Amino acid sequence: MYVSMKEMLWHACANKYAVMAINCTDMEQARAICYAAAAECAPVIIDISPRQMKAHATPEVMVPMIRAIAEPLDVPVALNLDHGGEYKDIVRCIKAGFSSVMVDASSYDFEENVRRVSQIVALAHAHGVSVEAELGHVGQAAAGDGRSADMYTNVEQAREFVERTGCDCLAVAIGTAHGAYPDDFVPHLDFDRLAELKEALKMPLVLHGGSGAGEENIRRVVELGINKINVCTDLFKHQRKAMHDKLNEQPSIDYMDIQMHGEQAATEYIRAYMRMIGSSNRYQFDFTGEDFD
Ligand code: 13P
């Protein structure tokens, strides 16, 4: 099934689990993500960032490919623009058929963030596309971001922001950052703030910078109300290492075989992560019966 993030994340919110949102740049990753979801009976979100879409993952190519993979499956798959900053990128993705877009105006002041998100919400909702926004700012792990509470999401502002913008889910800053942390540093997360945000907003919340955040932290944020977890760096690293090791072991391996080896490694990683965040076995259908019970 190819769906927007809206119903999927409200289901996760009502049932207290999280959905994996995974960056994707090619067919092997798209297949790994969708087939892992099907094998786990789990919902999933495919994220493509503006950098990825400009370098390699062209929206007009990725959308029909992902739809072709996702539509025959019995699990919901959403395709989301990750960190959409420029208006023209967001519109391009909506036109190409993304089922969801993120408007990241988190570097702007509160009013400008509200203005930009509201404008996209009106446009996107008219096309059945869901919208993610970010308040507070999730920065870069390499720059030491995430350690300063100055960037964290303010609870009162969040309440007003959601009311005024009508966004479908909100990315919150509680101590994670994007990319690899230096020297295996494990971030210290503000769980109290997350609990307050969930209590105030009672809506799907998003955690960016899932890589390197630590399994205990991830399990705890899911308990406290995170419903979408973005993962990129760790999965790409895992897949690259698996392909690199295979090439070392078998230097003359066929090109397609090395692609498939990478896909298999990604699938296994994603399945294990889905089980950890509670999204496995959420969409089990029985199509074998012939009539109502
Ligand atoms: P990581 O690369 O740290 O997993 O972050 C991914 C992300 O948040 C994409 O929006």
Side-chain angles (χ1 to χ4, degrees):
M1 289 179 266
Y2 182 74
V3 300
S4 92
M5 296 199 309
K6 188 174 174 177
E7 288 76 18
M8 175 197 290
L9 290 182
W10 274 103
H11 185 271
C13 188
N15 293 285
K16 300 185 169 46
Y17 68 91
V19 177
M20 229 183 146
I22 308 156
N23 288 80
C24 168
T25 65
D26 61 17
M27 187 179 74
E28 288 69 38
Q29 289 182 329
R31 281 165 49 99
I33 294 167
C34 293
Y35 296 153
E40 289 299 318
C41 301
V44 78
I45 296 160
I46 297 179
D47 266 343
I48 299 176
S49 71
R51 188 178 78 82
Q52 290 164 339
M53 87 187 208
K54 281 169 195 162
H56 187 62
T58 314
E60 294 74 16
V61 173
M62 294 299 276
V63 172
M65 179 187 72
I66 288 168
R67 289 190 80 126
I69 299 169
E71 269 162 5
L73 305 177
D74 297 332
V75 289
V77 177
L79 173 58
N80 179 46
L81 170 65
D82 191 27
H83 294 286
E86 291 179 32
Y87 186 82
K88 63 177 183 338
D89 287 344
I90 299 170
V91 169
R92 180 178 172 191
C93 288
I94 294 174
K95 275 190 178 166
F98 275 52
S99 65
S100 181
V101 290
M102 175 189 186
V103 194
D104 183 356
S106 64
S107 302
Y108 293 95
D109 65 31
F110 182 79
E111 285 302 324
E112 183 60 10
N113 195 348
V114 169
R115 196 180 74 80
R116 287 181 180 232
V117 173
S118 306
Q119 201 175 335
I120 296 301
V121 166
L123 182 72
H125 283 182
H127 290 84
V129 170
S130 55
V131 179
E132 173 181 345
E134 177 170 324
L135 185 67
H137 183 67
V138 181
Q140 297 301 321
D145 292 343
R147 303 186 199 195
S148 154
D150 296 350
M151 291 166 127
Y152 291 3
T153 310
N154 174 286
V155 180
E156 278 319 305
Q157 272 191 346
R159 206 194 304 262
E160 182 184 339
F161 184 85
V162 169
E163 242 175 62
R164 287 175 62 191
T165 61
C167 62
D168 300 295
C169 60
L170 185 70
V172 293
I174 55 165
T176 54
H178 295 98
Y181 294 94
D183 308 323
D184 292 328
F185 169 82
V186 178
H188 186 78
L189 307 188
D190 190 341
F191 297 123
D192 291 343
R193 185 181 301 251
L194 174 58
E196 284 171 37
L197 283 162
K198 193 68 176 185
E199 176 60 28
L201 303 175
K202 295 184 176 56
M203 69 182 290
L205 299 181
V206 181
L207 185 81
H208 279 250
S211 297
E215 197 170 315
E216 237 176 87
N217 279 338
I218 294 293
R219 287 182 192 276
R220 186 88 184 107
V221 297
V222 175
E223 279 167 16
L224 292 171
I226 288 291
N227 305 114
K228 170 178 181 271
I229 301 184
N230 284 25
V231 180
C232 179
T233 307
D234 278 356
L235 173 67
F236 281 24
K237 247 202 273 184
H238 178 82
Q239 191 177 355
R240 191 182 59 206
K241 182 175 183 321
M243 293 170 88
H244 181 264
D245 291 351
K246 190 74 182 169
L247 275 166
N248 274 345
E249 181 194 308
Q250 235 178 295
S252 59
I253 189 170
D254 185 73
Y255 179 68
M256 189 179 73
D257 290 340
I258 194 68
Q259 284 179 300
M260 285 168 63
H261 186 76
E263 179 181 319
Q264 187 58 33
T267 307
E268 282 158 18
Y269 181 96
I270 295 165
R271 290 189 64 176
Y273 203 101
M274 284 172 164
R275 290 196 282 269
M276 196 236 313
I277 62 174
S279 57
S280 296
N281 298 320
R282 298 287 175 175
Y283 285 83
Q284 281 172 307
F285 300 99
D286 181 4
F287 290 121
T288 57
E290 292 192 342
D291 207 342
F292 291 107
D293 292 332

